[in-house]
Amino acid sequence: MRVVVAPLRSFPSGERRIVEAGGRSIGVFRVGENFYGIRNRCPHQGGPLCLGHLLGDAVADAPGQARIASDPLRIACPWHGWEYDLDSGQSFMRTVAPGVRSYGIELSRGGSLGPDVRAGTPSKRVPGPYVAETFEVRVEDEYVVLHA
Ligand code: FES
């Protein structure tokens, strides 16, 4: 099934549309020049997945240059917070540990302070048992088209 979602020029980056296709509610997202289609039904307990927030990993190439990476990009279900990769539909649990490194400080005999790096295990996302259904979205003749 082919569904014309919108003219490309009226679907700016950062926006989403929720459309009906074959009796299913499907969210279509634009992030930059990329489009994603994912079912608007959370595999956990049926929540309205496509009403959730988009999330990316916080990364920093240098101190003071933190930004949100757009790859991978996830959507968080508004009901219980399961996160789904927009591209693959794979679910992820919330982080299992705070994503902040800790550093011990020790005083050397010379009186200067030096860092003692320890306990610096960054958190990891754990793949969950749920996979949301995803769909192909293409730009065809200046229109955004969902293939469901
Ligand atoms: S229904 Fe989506 S996380 Fe529970």
Side-chain angles (χ1 to χ4, degrees), residues 8-10 16 20 28 41 47 50-51 56-57 60 62 66 81 84-85 99 103 105 113 117 119 125 137:
L8 179 61
R9 70 178 180 283
S10 64
R16 71 186 72 179
E20 294 293 322
V28 177
R41 184 179 189 286
C50 295
L51 298 182
D57 289 337
Y84 295 86
D85 183 296
Y103 298 89
I105 301 293
L113 292 173
V117 179
R125 293 197 177 278
V137 180

Side-chain angles (χ1 to χ4, degrees), residues 60-141:
D61 300 322
Q65 296 183 4
R67 61 185 167 81
I68 302 298
S70 61
D71 183 27
L73 198 56
R74 299 176 308 279
I75 186 163
C77 179
W79 279 12
H80 310 105
W82 278 87
E83 298 176 5
Y84 295 86
D85 183 296
L86 263 190
D87 199 31
S88 68
Q90 173 64 54
S91 62
F92 290 91
M93 296 177 186
R94 294 175 187 208
T95 54
V96 294
V100 177
R101 287 182 186 260
S102 61
Y103 298 89
I105 301 293
E106 64 181 25
L107 185 62
S108 72
R109 288 183 188 268
S112 62
L113 292 173
D116 169 28
V117 179
R118 65 181 175 189
T121 306
S123 61
K124 297 250 190 262
R125 293 197 177 278
V126 178
Y130 311 113
V131 179
E133 192 175 4
T134 57
F135 303 90
E136 185 177 7
V137 180
R138 290 192 217 144
V139 175
E140 300 175 4
D141 297 326

Side-chain angles (χ1 to χ4, degrees), residues 41-52:
R41 184 179 189 286
C42 178
H44 177 226
Q45 290 184 1
L49 181 59
C50 295
L51 298 182

